[in-house]
mmCIF file of all heavy atoms in Angstrom:
data_model
loop_
_atom_site.group_PDB
_atom_site.id
_atom_site.type_symbol
_atom_site.label_atom_id
_atom_site.label_comp_id
_atom_site.label_asym_id
_atom_site.label_seq_id
_atom_site.Cartn_x
_atom_site.Cartn_y
_atom_site.Cartn_z
ATOM 1 N N LYS A 683 50.743 -52.232 -157.333
ATOM 2 C CA LYS A 683 51.510 -52.178 -156.084
ATOM 3 C C LYS A 683 52.673 -51.213 -156.211
ATOM 4 O O LYS A 683 53.426 -51.264 -157.177
ATOM 5 C CB LYS A 683 52.037 -53.569 -155.706
ATOM 6 C CG LYS A 683 51.004 -54.679 -155.713
ATOM 7 C CD LYS A 683 49.956 -54.486 -154.644
ATOM 8 C CE LYS A 683 49.022 -55.647 -154.520
ATOM 9 N NZ LYS A 683 47.980 -55.758 -155.501
ATOM 10 N N THR A 684 52.788 -50.326 -155.241
ATOM 11 C CA THR A 684 53.939 -49.433 -155.108
ATOM 12 C C THR A 684 54.390 -49.543 -153.653
ATOM 13 O O THR A 684 53.673 -50.110 -152.825
ATOM 14 C CB THR A 684 53.578 -47.979 -155.435
ATOM 15 O OG1 THR A 684 52.664 -47.506 -154.442
ATOM 16 C CG2 THR A 684 52.968 -47.840 -156.826
ATOM 17 N N PRO A 685 55.544 -48.983 -153.317
ATOM 18 C CA PRO A 685 55.986 -49.072 -151.916
ATOM 19 C C PRO A 685 54.989 -48.492 -150.907
ATOM 20 O O PRO A 685 54.926 -48.933 -149.773
ATOM 21 C CB PRO A 685 57.298 -48.283 -151.912
ATOM 22 C CG PRO A 685 57.806 -48.421 -153.306
ATOM 23 C CD PRO A 685 56.571 -48.426 -154.178
ATOM 24 N N ASN A 686 54.194 -47.515 -151.319
ATOM 25 C CA ASN A 686 53.247 -46.885 -150.394
ATOM 26 C C ASN A 686 51.841 -47.474 -150.454
ATOM 27 O O ASN A 686 50.986 -47.089 -149.670
ATOM 28 C CB ASN A 686 53.175 -45.379 -150.660
ATOM 29 C CG ASN A 686 54.490 -44.696 -150.373
ATOM 30 O OD1 ASN A 686 55.211 -45.090 -149.459
ATOM 31 N ND2 ASN A 686 54.812 -43.697 -151.161
ATOM 32 N N THR A 687 51.597 -48.389 -151.373
ATOM 33 C CA THR A 687 50.245 -48.905 -151.565
ATOM 34 C C THR A 687 49.693 -49.583 -150.316
ATOM 35 O O THR A 687 48.569 -49.308 -149.918
ATOM 36 C CB THR A 687 50.196 -49.903 -152.739
ATOM 37 O OG1 THR A 687 50.781 -49.298 -153.865
ATOM 38 C CG2 THR A 687 48.780 -50.290 -153.069
ATOM 39 N N LEU A 688 50.479 -50.455 -149.700
ATOM 40 C CA LEU A 688 49.985 -51.163 -148.519
ATOM 41 C C LEU A 688 49.669 -50.183 -147.400
ATOM 42 O O LEU A 688 48.628 -50.295 -146.751
ATOM 43 C CB LEU A 688 50.991 -52.202 -148.033
ATOM 44 C CG LEU A 688 50.564 -52.995 -146.794
ATOM 45 C CD1 LEU A 688 49.256 -53.745 -147.048
ATOM 46 C CD2 LEU A 688 51.652 -53.963 -146.374
ATOM 47 N N ALA A 689 50.516 -49.211 -147.189
ATOM 48 C CA ALA A 689 50.291 -48.234 -146.125
ATOM 49 C C ALA A 689 48.991 -47.465 -146.334
ATOM 50 O O ALA A 689 48.277 -47.179 -145.369
ATOM 51 C CB ALA A 689 51.467 -47.272 -146.022
ATOM 52 N N THR A 690 48.669 -47.149 -147.570
ATOM 53 C CA THR A 690 47.443 -46.383 -147.822
ATOM 54 C C THR A 690 46.188 -47.233 -147.692
ATOM 55 O O THR A 690 45.123 -46.703 -147.422
ATOM 56 C CB THR A 690 47.468 -45.727 -149.223
ATOM 57 O OG1 THR A 690 47.617 -46.743 -150.211
ATOM 58 C CG2 THR A 690 48.590 -44.719 -149.336
ATOM 59 N N HIS A 691 46.317 -48.553 -147.870
ATOM 60 C CA HIS A 691 45.151 -49.436 -147.766
ATOM 61 C C HIS A 691 45.007 -50.088 -146.389
ATOM 62 O O HIS A 691 44.010 -50.756 -146.119
ATOM 63 C CB HIS A 691 45.222 -50.526 -148.841
ATOM 64 C CG HIS A 691 44.843 -50.016 -150.188
ATOM 65 N ND1 HIS A 691 45.743 -49.414 -151.019
ATOM 66 C CD2 HIS A 691 43.662 -50.007 -150.847
ATOM 67 C CE1 HIS A 691 45.139 -49.060 -152.147
ATOM 68 N NE2 HIS A 691 43.876 -49.406 -152.058
ATOM 69 N N LYS A 692 46.005 -49.907 -145.541
ATOM 70 C CA LYS A 692 45.954 -50.505 -144.205
ATOM 71 C C LYS A 692 44.991 -49.703 -143.343
ATOM 72 O O LYS A 692 45.162 -48.514 -143.137
ATOM 73 C CB LYS A 692 47.343 -50.509 -143.578
ATOM 74 C CG LYS A 692 47.575 -51.659 -142.636
ATOM 75 C CD LYS A 692 48.989 -51.661 -142.127
ATOM 76 C CE LYS A 692 49.809 -52.681 -142.882
ATOM 77 N NZ LYS A 692 51.107 -52.924 -142.279
ATOM 78 N N LEU A 693 43.956 -50.358 -142.846
ATOM 79 C CA LEU A 693 42.933 -49.693 -142.048
ATOM 80 C C LEU A 693 43.200 -49.815 -140.551
ATOM 81 O O LEU A 693 42.736 -49.001 -139.764
ATOM 82 C CB LEU A 693 41.559 -50.286 -142.377
ATOM 83 C CG LEU A 693 41.169 -50.247 -143.853
ATOM 84 C CD1 LEU A 693 39.905 -51.049 -144.087
ATOM 85 C CD2 LEU A 693 41.007 -48.819 -144.327
ATOM 86 N N MET A 694 43.936 -50.852 -140.186
ATOM 87 C CA MET A 694 44.226 -51.101 -138.769
ATOM 88 C C MET A 694 45.506 -51.923 -138.694
ATOM 89 O O MET A 694 45.687 -52.856 -139.463
ATOM 90 C CB MET A 694 43.064 -51.859 -138.135
ATOM 91 C CG MET A 694 43.211 -52.180 -136.692
ATOM 92 S SD MET A 694 41.711 -53.047 -136.138
ATOM 93 C CE MET A 694 42.076 -53.226 -134.437
ATOM 94 N N ASP A 695 46.372 -51.556 -137.775
ATOM 95 C CA ASP A 695 47.612 -52.299 -137.568
ATOM 96 C C ASP A 695 48.016 -52.114 -136.110
ATOM 97 O O ASP A 695 48.524 -51.057 -135.745
ATOM 98 C CB ASP A 695 48.700 -51.794 -138.513
ATOM 99 C CG ASP A 695 49.950 -52.662 -138.482
ATOM 100 O OD1 ASP A 695 49.891 -53.771 -137.921
ATOM 101 O OD2 ASP A 695 50.977 -52.228 -139.020
ATOM 102 N N GLN A 696 47.744 -53.119 -135.297
ATOM 103 C CA GLN A 696 48.025 -53.021 -133.859
ATOM 104 C C GLN A 696 48.773 -54.245 -133.369
ATOM 105 O O GLN A 696 48.498 -55.358 -133.805
ATOM 106 C CB GLN A 696 46.724 -52.919 -133.057
ATOM 107 C CG GLN A 696 45.968 -51.646 -133.222
ATOM 108 C CD GLN A 696 44.784 -51.579 -132.279
ATOM 109 O OE1 GLN A 696 44.653 -52.346 -131.339
ATOM 110 N NE2 GLN A 696 43.898 -50.644 -132.545
ATOM 111 N N THR A 697 49.698 -54.009 -132.467
ATOM 112 C CA THR A 697 50.354 -55.086 -131.739
ATOM 113 C C THR A 697 50.060 -54.867 -130.270
ATOM 114 O O THR A 697 50.300 -53.779 -129.743
ATOM 115 C CB THR A 697 51.875 -55.090 -131.981
ATOM 116 O OG1 THR A 697 52.114 -55.234 -133.385
ATOM 117 C CG2 THR A 697 52.541 -56.230 -131.236
ATOM 118 N N ILE A 698 49.497 -55.880 -129.626
ATOM 119 C CA ILE A 698 49.112 -55.784 -128.217
ATOM 120 C C ILE A 698 49.907 -56.815 -127.435
ATOM 121 O O ILE A 698 49.826 -58.017 -127.716
ATOM 122 C CB ILE A 698 47.601 -56.033 -128.039
ATOM 123 C CG1 ILE A 698 46.803 -55.017 -128.860
ATOM 124 C CG2 ILE A 698 47.217 -55.989 -126.566
ATOM 125 C CD1 ILE A 698 45.336 -55.356 -129.004
ATOM 126 N N TYR A 699 50.681 -56.341 -126.477
ATOM 127 C CA TYR A 699 51.463 -57.244 -125.618
ATOM 128 C C TYR A 699 50.558 -57.726 -124.485
ATOM 129 O O TYR A 699 50.017 -56.930 -123.726
ATOM 130 C CB TYR A 699 52.717 -56.537 -125.100
ATOM 131 C CG TYR A 699 53.634 -56.192 -126.242
ATOM 132 C CD1 TYR A 699 53.567 -54.958 -126.870
ATOM 133 C CD2 TYR A 699 54.515 -57.149 -126.740
ATOM 134 C CE1 TYR A 699 54.380 -54.670 -127.952
ATOM 135 C CE2 TYR A 699 55.325 -56.867 -127.829
ATOM 136 C CZ TYR A 699 55.250 -55.624 -128.428
ATOM 137 O OH TYR A 699 56.049 -55.341 -129.513
ATOM 138 N N LEU A 700 50.403 -59.040 -124.396
ATOM 139 C CA LEU A 700 49.405 -59.620 -123.496
ATOM 140 C C LEU A 700 49.848 -59.708 -122.048
ATOM 141 O O LEU A 700 49.062 -60.069 -121.183
ATOM 142 C CB LEU A 700 49.002 -61.007 -124.005
ATOM 143 C CG LEU A 700 48.422 -61.002 -125.421
ATOM 144 C CD1 LEU A 700 48.154 -62.416 -125.879
ATOM 145 C CD2 LEU A 700 47.164 -60.165 -125.489
ATOM 146 N N ASP A 701 51.100 -59.375 -121.755
ATOM 147 C CA ASP A 701 51.561 -59.450 -120.375
ATOM 148 C C ASP A 701 51.409 -58.125 -119.629
ATOM 149 O O ASP A 701 51.718 -58.033 -118.458
ATOM 150 C CB ASP A 701 53.020 -59.915 -120.317
ATOM 151 C CG ASP A 701 53.956 -58.985 -121.081
ATOM 152 O OD1 ASP A 701 53.460 -58.088 -121.791
ATOM 153 O OD2 ASP A 701 55.179 -59.170 -120.967
ATOM 154 N N GLY A 702 50.901 -57.108 -120.284
ATOM 155 C CA GLY A 702 50.739 -55.799 -119.650
ATOM 156 C C GLY A 702 49.477 -55.717 -118.812
ATOM 157 O O GLY A 702 48.549 -56.514 -118.953
ATOM 158 N N LEU A 703 49.442 -54.725 -117.937
ATOM 159 C CA LEU A 703 48.289 -54.538 -117.057
ATOM 160 C C LEU A 703 47.050 -54.095 -117.822
ATOM 161 O O LEU A 703 45.927 -54.329 -117.382
ATOM 162 C CB LEU A 703 48.620 -53.518 -115.965
ATOM 163 C CG LEU A 703 49.732 -53.934 -114.991
ATOM 164 C CD1 LEU A 703 50.062 -52.772 -114.051
ATOM 165 C CD2 LEU A 703 49.319 -55.158 -114.194
ATOM 166 N N THR A 704 47.239 -53.457 -118.959
ATOM 167 C CA THR A 704 46.097 -52.956 -119.727
ATOM 168 C C THR A 704 45.769 -53.842 -120.927
ATOM 169 O O THR A 704 45.020 -53.434 -121.810
ATOM 170 C CB THR A 704 46.381 -51.522 -120.213
ATOM 171 O OG1 THR A 704 47.528 -51.549 -121.061
ATOM 172 C CG2 THR A 704 46.598 -50.569 -119.054
ATOM 173 N N ALA A 705 46.307 -55.041 -120.962
ATOM 174 C CA ALA A 705 46.139 -55.919 -122.125
ATOM 175 C C ALA A 705 44.669 -56.223 -122.420
ATOM 176 O O ALA A 705 44.237 -56.156 -123.569
ATOM 177 C CB ALA A 705 46.915 -57.219 -121.927
#
Side-chain angles (χ1 to χ4, degrees):
K683 310 294 187 282
T684 66
N686 296 326
T687 308
L688 180 59
T690 59
H691 283 86
K692 211 176 259 191
L693 304 171
M694 180 179 183
D695 188 13
Q696 291 186 14
T697 301
I698 302 167
Y699 296 93
L700 301 176
D701 59 351
L703 296 174
T704 61

